[in-house]
Amino acid sequence: MTGADGGVDVENLTVTFGDVEALVDVSLSIDDGEFFTLVGPSGCGKTTLLRTVAGLETPTAGRVRIDGRDATDEPPEDRGVGVVFQNYALFPHMTARENVAYGLQFHDLPEPDDQRVGELLDLVDLAGVADREPDQLSGGQQQRIALARALAPKPDVLLLDEPLSALDASLRKRLRVQIRSIQRDLDITTVYVTHDQAEALAISDRVAVVRDGRIEQVGTPEDVYREPATRFVAEFVGDNNVFDGVVTEAGDRIAVDGTATLPLPNGTDLTAGASATVSVRPEAISIRDRERAQTDGDGSAVDGPGGTAVTRSATVETVEYLGDAYRVHCQWDDRPVTVKTDSTSPPEGTVTLGFEPDAVHVLSNGKPDTGAGGGR
Amino acid sequence: MARRDGWALWIGVAATLATLVVVFYYPVGRVFADAVAVDGRLTLAPLRAVLGDPFYTGAAHTLFIDPAAVPSGIARWLAAGAPPVEFGLFGFTAYQALLSTLVSVLVGLPGAYVLARFEFPGRRFLRSVTIIPFVLPSILVAVGFLAMFGRTGLFNDLLGIVGLGPVELTFTLEIVVLAHAFYNAPLVTRLVTAAWESVDADRVETARTLGASPLRAFRDVILPQLLPALATAAVLTFVFTFMSFPIVLALGGLELATVEVWLFARVQSLDLTEAATLGAIETALSLGLLYVYLRYEARRTEPGGASRGLSRRPLVDGIRSLVDPLRVAIFAYSAVALVLFAGPLVSLVIESITTPAGQLTLDYYAFLLARQASTAAGTVRPFPAVVNSLLFGVGTLLLSIPMGVVVAVVATRGDRGSRAAEALLTAPLAVSGIVLGLGMLQALVFGTTLFGYRLTVTGPVAIVAAHAVAAYPFVSRSVTPALRSIDDRLGEAARSLGADRTRVLTDVELPLVAPALVAGAAFAFAISVGEFDSTVLLSTGVDSATMPVALERYVGDRSLGPNLGPATAMGTVLLAVTTVSFVLIDRVGGRWE
């Protein structure tokens, strides 16, 4: 997966600051026109990766290729990248229009500069405030001017570093839709950095989950959500219930601790006695009142063979109302289990949890997915 | 990003350091060398001669010539009932500096309280003008004080109206201390006001909700934030007044001579070794004090950025508030401040157009014109002095702005850079103009032999160099915060849009620091125009005399009778030129704070 035209390739990239390793041997291949998101907790190295692609940090080892050429030693002004920073970094002594026009003097575009600036102001719907200074613009307007400024010189790659994190929640959702639709229209390769996993899932073609300077998993949002490669990904992307245990003699179950067991999905190939980690999404678990569960016997451990629902008895601890659903925090023996239910009233007391064996997902026992570079 | 700065910064750093070595470190080093070497051989004789001389160190001289006799001396002194002791010239210098510091703090603190805690029309303006005394030529202020507090001055006129006086303040310690307060009380006010304004109201309110009374909250929350600022102001005031020269020379004379004045007298009588020794001791003392202070300051932690300042009370809040004791005290304080700060400048102008008997006259300005027309040798003519001052001012700008900007850039490069820059910026503060002038006289004007060539730097070049050394810290101190406040992302955004390092400087960084740069330039120019200490030593003959030097000559001029007429007239010209240039530079660039 190297040398994709119009895309970005990062090969064995290591970046250190003094004694701190911000990135360790990271390889990624981003396709032409792809919307690629780096997501991870703060301090994981995702912003460093973006800044290294932009030429704002110097790698200790490894190469950066942009549009097929080796850009590792190019200064930022020669890379053909447009960057939008978290705090927008608009030039405070220039109007919005002058900000957007600034990069054009360094690039020869076929159309006149005025026309190009006009196009971009229209693109972000801000022609009306073009002659204001940045401090007279709202946060959302500043963010869109920063986007227009980055796009004006027609860069090969658009780099966005947490561009929405300073905005309020509803504006953030509206703007991410706008950014995605502009990106599709322009068909521009885009690298987007965020700590918000929901945002990452919502707008990306593919996502890379970054942790401690390493890539944990690369894949489509669906892959990453449904098939998390590691425990970290399973817990970082969306809510999840993760259980550690040992594969039973028969090889079709996992003993979580002592007596409690969970079934493994069909087709799992694990040796008996091996330790394993499994996850079950909260929305894959149904929750029923104790009384109704009585029909399934005592309700403590009924596992139907092959595809029949699994049930477990649990007690409700706290309930969060989400508007369209309830998130219910239960105790299954002494293990916390989170369940998401769309029932119309909050469950309480002792309940029965149920889920299909196929809802159980086996994780690769916590090890990073080292072969993630080309995973599509 | 350091590796992308390129060679331009390093050339700038090298050039700045080279300039400082030639015009500052080497000359000052020569002064120190002359204090510990005679005919090229190391010796402690000059130091011992000065420190062991009761004239310089008073009762402490035994410490340097016969330390073993100290305990018995102290015992004898105690046996005699501990009579007052004199500590000689150094003792007196420290004493007057201490008094001046005390009075400056007493005068400055209420000002900080009023500016920080009360709202009234003109508050911002008043806060801004507290910087003005700092850039006024000291010899001008000295003449203003003579005009205000002299026997025929405005102060005695005012006292006469209420049936008091007259008081004779000329050549007294009181007038010297007052003039020092004129300079340094505003410094106290500025620093303490800034600290007071940075107190976070949330913290005070937290203390109050936890049960602290207003007074207790002041003691526990506000005071700890004010004390460091007050300490800074007091230390700086002490150092400045310890090294004070024109004020003491013009207001105290040799009767009340400080180390600096005596040093000047030694140079005038060409006793250069003793002068160098005095300079070395004086510089070592002030450097030591500043060093101890900087060490202390480095250890204290800055309070976090204030989210919300304390709210201000209106100064005038209805008629009833005018009889509130606190307000009455504030108005009384304002009256005193008016006499102390506006008085000397107003008197200067008034005295220049009135005779001692009180009639209007233009004789003194006619005198200046007559001097201009005079062909007698040794006459300081006013017009060339004005031209010299302006030319030297421009020269100072050309040298001090690049130097100041380079040091500011270094100061914004992380910890090591800022500490190096701090040392570079503080050293000139600790070295008096007279010591620098003496060093330059010795090292540059008299010349230095290097690789068999005799190198000399004379007249205007030496003066401009001395002015630049005094002025560049002001450029740096103005530019550094502006440069530091520029978000790195702005430069990075410009880089990603296609600008190279140079374009980032011209398109982003310079426009954003321009107002601060202009403010720094205005200060540098004002410092140059007002500089007296080193100029009076370096301006050989009358050709390179500047306005302050001319002014000092006219103070003693009695050709129009025993009055200050010629000096006040020249002072008014200097005041006008300084004000116009300051305002002009400022208007071109915008604001100053």
Side-chain angles (χ1 to χ4, degrees):
Chain A
M1 294 284 298
T2 54
D5 277 347
V8 174
D9 291 281
V10 167
E11 297 165 5
N12 308 105
L13 204 64
T14 296
V15 179
T16 51
F17 300 114
D19 300 337
V20 182
E21 287 190 314
L23 289 177
V24 186
D25 197 26
V26 168
S27 296
L28 275 178
S29 185
I30 299 163
D31 288 345
D32 190 15
E34 190 175 18
F35 195 111
F36 192 93
T37 297
L38 302 171
V39 65
S42 53
C44 71
K46 56 193 190 299
T47 291
T48 303
L49 181 48
L50 181 112
R51 289 171 57 83
T52 310
V53 171
L56 299 170
E57 304 292 352
T58 310
T60 318
R63 313 304 297 172
V64 174
R65 287 179 203 285
I66 295 173
D67 207 4
R69 71 177 193 280
D70 188 342
T72 318
D73 298 319
E74 287 179 355
E77 63 265 32
D78 295 342
R79 294 200 177 194
V81 296
V83 185
V84 177
F85 292 94
Q86 183 170 6
N87 61 356
Y88 324 129
L90 293 180
F91 304 130
H93 55 303
M94 301 180 191
T95 62
R97 185 192 305 281
E98 286 164 351
N99 266 284
V100 175
Y102 181 80
L104 297 176
Q105 59 185 310
F106 307 111
H107 297 82
D108 287 324
L109 300 186
E111 63 267 48
D113 287 358
D114 289 350
Q115 184 189 328
R116 179 73 183 149
V117 173
E119 282 170 21
L120 280 147
L121 289 170
D122 287 340
L123 184 71
V124 296
D125 295 328
L126 284 179
V129 298
D131 294 312
R132 291 200 194 157
E133 307 255 328
D135 61 4
Q136 297 170 297
L137 300 175
S138 70
Q141 288 172 330
Q142 291 184 33
Q143 197 279 331
R144 280 142 72 199
I145 291 295
L147 179 65
R149 181 179 68 175
L151 289 170
K154 300 190 176 169
D156 298 325
V157 180
L158 178 62
L159 303 173
L160 303 148
D161 183 8
E162 308 233 9
L164 304 177
S165 62
L167 304 172
D168 64 62
S170 69
L171 188 57
R172 207 154 60 208
K173 281 186 185 150
R174 262 193 293 132
L175 278 177
R176 78 187 187 200
V177 173
Q178 193 179 10
I179 288 175
R180 180 56 161 149
S181 97
I182 288 173
Q183 185 268 338
R184 268 196 222 280
D185 291 348
L186 301 178
D187 197 26
I188 183 172
T189 310
T190 299
V191 184
Y192 187 96
V193 163
T194 182
H195 64 269
D196 181 343
Q197 48 86 23
E199 195 169 281
L201 296 182
I203 55 174
S204 314
D205 289 321
R206 276 195 305 154
V207 173
V209 181
V210 188
R211 176 200 185 194
D212 290 345
R214 294 177 170 82
I215 305 287
E216 288 272 316
Q217 186 176 7
V218 178
T220 62
E222 290 86 350
D223 284 347
V224 170
Y225 188 84
R226 291 176 193 154
E227 309 277 328
T230 65
R231 181 194 191 102
F232 175 79
V233 175
E235 290 181 330
F236 184 79
V237 180
D239 287 339
N240 222 332
N241 298 296
V242 179
F243 304 99
D244 295 311
V246 177
V247 180
T248 56
E249 289 295 326
D252 63 342
R253 303 178 67 82
I254 171 173
V256 175
D257 46 19
T259 52
T261 61
L262 289 173
L264 290 170
N266 290 333
T268 330
D269 190 19
L270 288 171
T271 28
S275 61
T277 304
V278 296
S279 62
V280 186
R281 289 284 177 193
E283 65 271 20
I285 305 175
S286 65
I287 188 165
R288 277 174 298 158
D289 288 344
R290 180 70 176 156
E291 291 70 34
R292 287 171 56 195
Q294 291 295 342
T295 52
D296 297 328
D298 71 355
S300 59
V302 177
D303 297 348
T308 327
V310 180
T311 60
R312 291 288 181 274
S313 177
T315 49
V316 173
E317 296 275 305
T318 54
V319 179
E320 296 174 73
Y321 182 49
L322 304 177
D324 55 351
Y326 289 96
R327 185 183 293 127
V328 187
H329 300 274
C330 312
Q331 289 279 328
W332 164 39
D333 295 340
D334 280 333
R335 288 172 291 271
V337 176
T338 304
V339 179
K340 199 172 166 190
T341 173
D342 55 4
S343 71
T344 48
S345 60
E348 54 188 331
T350 307
V351 292
T352 299
L353 307 179
F355 52 91
E356 304 293 321
D358 282 349
V360 178
H361 172 73
V362 181
L363 299 168
S364 66
N365 216 3
K367 286 199 202 76
D369 181 4
T370 45
R376 287 220 66 174
Chain B
M1 296 297 292
R3 83 181 176 94
R4 301 202 195 278
D5 286 336
W7 43 268
L9 176 67
W10 295 112
I11 289 181
V13 169
T16 302
L17 284 178
T19 309
L20 281 176
V21 165
V22 173
V23 305
F24 181 72
Y25 289 103
Y26 176 60
V28 173
R30 268 293 291 269
V31 172
F32 274 84
D34 287 345
V36 294
V38 173
D39 299 329
R41 288 204 348 271
L42 276 182
T43 169
L44 287 176
L47 277 175
R48 201 178 292 140
V50 167
L51 293 173
D53 185 342
F55 171 77
Y56 287 120
T57 50
H61 79 282
T62 332
L63 197 63
F64 302 101
I65 52 170
D66 188 8
V70 170
S72 62
I74 291 177
R76 264 203 314 282
W77 172 68
L78 288 173
V85 276
E86 297 286 329
F87 286 101
L89 188 63
F90 279 96
F92 173 74
T93 306
Y95 171 67
Q96 64 82 29
L98 202 62
L99 270 187
S100 302
T101 305
L102 205 65
V103 172
S104 299
V105 168
L106 286 179
V107 174
L109 267 187
Y113 172 65
V114 174
L115 285 177
R117 302 295 292 116
F118 289 92
E119 189 56 76
F120 50 91
R123 182 184 60 81
R124 284 171 176 282
F125 172 76
L126 210 56
R127 197 179 181 287
S128 297
V129 298
T130 52
I131 196 70
I132 295 289
F134 215 75
V135 297
L136 283 179
S138 47
I139 188 75
L140 166 81
V141 172
V143 173
F145 266 76
L146 285 177
M148 178 74 188
F149 297 104
R151 177 164 277 281
T152 60
L154 198 58
F155 186 63
N156 273 326
D157 293 348
L158 291 175
L159 284 183
I161 293 173
V162 293
L164 292 172
V167 288
E168 181 61 81
L169 284 171
T170 318
F171 297 117
T172 61
L173 186 56
E174 285 84 347
I175 196 169
V176 170
V177 168
L178 277 183
H180 283 162
F182 177 91
Y183 269 99
N184 295 294
L187 182 70
V188 174
T189 303
R190 282 184 77 75
L191 291 177
V192 176
T193 302
W196 215 321
E197 284 173 344
S198 77
V199 170
D200 190 346
D202 285 348
R203 295 195 188 144
V204 179
E205 284 163 14
T206 304
R208 294 297 303 281
T209 55
L210 292 171
S213 66
L215 205 61
R216 191 59 205 268
F218 175 82
R219 205 189 83 189
D220 294 347
V221 181
I222 300 178
L223 202 58
Q225 285 199 44
L226 300 189
L227 285 178
L230 189 60
T232 304
V235 170
L236 288 176
T237 302
F238 186 85
V239 170
F240 290 153
T241 53
F242 190 83
M243 300 191 306
S244 170
F245 173 58
I247 299 273
V248 183
L249 181 71
L251 297 178
L254 285 183
E255 278 299 292
L256 292 169
T258 57
V259 175
E260 192 83 351
V261 173
W262 199 254
L263 171 52
F264 174 67
R266 294 295 92 195
V267 177
Q268 297 250 296
S269 55
L270 289 178
D271 191 350
L272 294 180
T273 301
E274 194 171 342
T277 309
L278 282 174
I281 297 171
E282 183 203 48
T283 307
L285 284 176
S286 59
L287 267 179
L289 193 57
L290 279 178
Y291 175 76
V292 168
Y293 161 70
L294 283 177
R295 283 292 298 270
Y296 158 78
E297 201 191 42
R299 269 189 303 147
R300 73 168 224 260
T301 47
E302 283 291 319
S307 51
R308 183 167 59 90
L310 300 164
S311 60
R312 291 189 172 82
R313 280 187 280 170
L315 186 59
V316 178
D317 192 11
I319 293 291
R320 305 248 339 238
S321 74
L322 294 179
V323 293
D324 163 30
L326 181 64
R327 259 78 171 192
V328 171
I330 289 174
F331 294 132
Y333 167 77
S334 308
V336 171
L338 200 66
V339 168
L340 182 60
F341 293 103
L345 299 180
V346 173
S347 300
L348 180 79
V349 178
I350 293 179
E351 292 281 310
S352 77
I353 52 166
T354 52
T355 65
Q359 281 120 10
L360 277 181
T361 176
L362 285 174
D363 284 357
Y364 307 132
Y365 291 94
F367 167 86
L368 292 186
L369 290 178
R371 274 301 149 100
Q372 179 62 31
S374 165
T375 52
T379 307
V380 176
R381 293 186 294 174
F383 186 64
V386 174
V387 172
N388 280 340
S389 279
L390 294 178
L391 284 180
F392 296 162
V394 171
T396 302
L397 284 187
L398 293 181
L399 199 54
S400 63
I401 288 184
M403 285 169 68
V405 169
V406 166
V407 174
V409 170
V410 172
T412 50
R413 308 278 135 171
D415 266 5
R416 274 183 32 224
S418 78
R419 258 182 283 140
E422 192 59 37
L424 280 178
L425 293 175
T426 313
L429 277 185
V431 175
S432 75
I434 291 287
V435 171
L436 179 62
L438 172 63
M440 292 182 79
L441 209 56
Q442 299 260 58
L444 303 179
V445 178
F446 298 162
T448 293
T449 307
L450 198 63
F451 305 124
Y453 292 95
R454 189 91 186 137
L455 299 174
T456 57
V457 179
T458 51
V461 178
I463 293 175
V464 166
H467 288 188
V469 167
Y472 87 91
F474 289 86
V475 177
S476 288
R477 289 198 188 281
S478 176
V479 171
T480 303
L483 212 50
R484 199 167 273 154
S485 72
I486 296 179
D487 187 349
D488 287 348
R489 304 277 182 281
L490 291 181
E492 292 173 0
R495 290 297 294 274
S496 72
L497 290 167
D500 59 23
R501 191 68 192 83
T502 319
R503 289 300 297 267
V504 172
L505 187 71
T506 57
D507 293 356
V508 179
E509 288 164 356
L510 279 182
L512 290 175
V513 299
L517 193 62
V518 169
F523 281 114
F525 194 83
I527 296 276
S528 168
V529 169
E531 217 287 335
F532 175 74
D533 307 16
S534 54
T535 317
V536 73
L537 284 183
L538 292 171
S539 63
T540 45
V542 295
D543 293 338
S544 48
T546 59
M547 284 189 283
V549 172
L551 177 55
E552 200 271 336
R553 294 284 173 87
Y554 296 154
V555 171
D557 196 306
R558 291 289 177 267
S559 50
L560 292 185
N563 60 55
L564 281 172
T568 50
M570 188 66 215
T572 305
V573 172
L574 174 54
L575 182 62
V577 173
T578 308
T579 312
V580 168
S581 342
F582 197 77
V583 169
L584 213 61
I585 294 179
D586 176 60
R587 277 292 137 81
V588 174
R591 69 190 172 85
W592 43 270
E593 165 68 356

